[in-house]
Amino acid sequence: AYSLLNGQVPDAPFLFQVEIPDGAFITIDPAGFRKASDDNVICLHYLYDGKPTLRKIEAGNKNPEQLIIAALRMALEHGVSLIAIEDTAYQQTLLFWISKYIKAWNITGINVVPLKPKNRSKESRLRIFCEEVIAGNYYIHPDCMAQWLWQAMKYKLGKDDNKDDILDGAAYGLDVRTEYWHLVVNLNIAGMLSAQNQIPIEDNTPF
């Protein structure tokens, strides 16, 4: 098979309108620093009964500061307890910006961690994530199903020019499940999230 998807993607069995997630976390894949064709991707993941669901995808061409502001805004809105950032970018500039804004906005309760590929190829990570989705171990919310499915269906195994930024950002959820699961809660329920200052509105000034 040349495709990542070898089966039907099941619908998530949760009533999203009424069920409150047990936990929420964000994964960031800042591919825009490397490849011109890729976007920076922020993925929001929810937890229901211990099962993760890809809940929201924000993809776009942002500079590091804009990327972090967007991620922190999303985190505060959804009660996110963990933000996981692809390691090389984490080391480079994103750690600087996220530390700056967590301090400036007096945010407490959010853990920020690096994600390391650990010598696995990107393709093997994407394949495992797709297998988990098809097996019903990781769900895709209807709001982002089209975005995710579009890249998954177009992906050609063995090719190195796939547009896979969304797939990559989503697949990092498995690394969070493996390494940081104990840190994933819903801060809105726990009453642990606080940002003392008003979050600034979108700053559109070019820099």
Side-chain angles (χ1 to χ4, degrees):
Y2 299 107
S3 165
L4 277 175
L5 295 173
N6 301 319
Q8 279 299 111
V9 175
D11 291 329
F14 312 116
L15 297 166
F16 290 110
Q17 287 76 16
V18 291
E19 287 191 51
I20 294 168
D22 314 318
F25 66 94
I26 282 172
T27 51
I28 298 179
D29 182 42
F33 303 155
R34 295 192 298 273
K35 209 162 71 178
S37 64
D38 277 357
D39 287 327
N40 294 305
V41 174
I42 304 166
C43 290
L44 172 70
H45 309 251
Y46 271 7
L47 223 61
Y48 296 96
D49 299 330
K51 284 266 178 102
T53 298
L54 179 63
R55 177 64 188 85
K56 187 175 184 182
I57 299 163
E58 198 173 304
N61 197 335
K62 293 179 169 66
N63 68 43
E65 184 178 17
Q66 291 165 334
L67 184 64
I68 287 305
I69 288 174
L72 284 174
R73 264 208 201 91
M74 191 186 285
L76 292 169
E77 183 187 341
H78 293 274
V80 162
S81 65
L82 180 85
I83 296 176
I85 304 173
E86 191 269 330
D87 187 44
T88 39
Y90 174 91
Q91 299 297 353
Q92 286 166 354
T93 44
L94 294 190
L95 186 61
F96 167 81
W97 288 111
I98 205 156
S99 306
K100 174 185 157 108
Y101 280 102
I102 281 178
K103 197 171 171 201
W105 298 350
N106 286 325
I107 296 171
T108 55
I110 299 178
N111 292 285
V112 182
V113 297
L115 294 168
K116 298 175 171 60
K118 295 200 183 62
N119 300 328
R120 291 163 304 164
S121 73
K122 179 189 285 197
E123 191 163 283
S124 70
R125 289 192 304 104
L126 300 186
R127 285 174 87 149
I128 291 166
F129 184 78
C130 288
E131 284 163 14
E132 288 290 273
V133 168
I134 288 166
N137 296 325
Y138 216 112
Y139 292 107
I140 312 285
H141 190 277
D143 287 359
C144 44
M145 181 68 86
Q147 273 173 292
W148 181 82
L149 212 49
W150 174 247
Q151 280 197 0
M153 288 168 72
K154 287 184 63 126
Y155 191 96
K156 298 276 188 292
L157 294 175
K159 293 260 197 269
D160 54 8
D161 59 350
N162 292 295
K163 185 164 171 60
D164 54 21
D165 40 22
I166 286 170
L167 298 175
D168 210 21
Y172 275 125
L174 292 181
D175 296 274
V176 172
R177 191 174 70 180
T178 308
E179 294 179 59
Y180 301 113
W181 222 218
H182 58 290
L183 297 174
V184 178
V185 294
N186 181 337
L187 292 182
N188 286 342
I189 305 179
M192 290 155 58
L193 190 65
S194 75
Q196 311 298 323
N197 302 353
Q198 199 51 45
I199 305 169
I201 37 228
E202 192 69 68
D203 176 19
N204 289 322
T205 49
F207 87 148

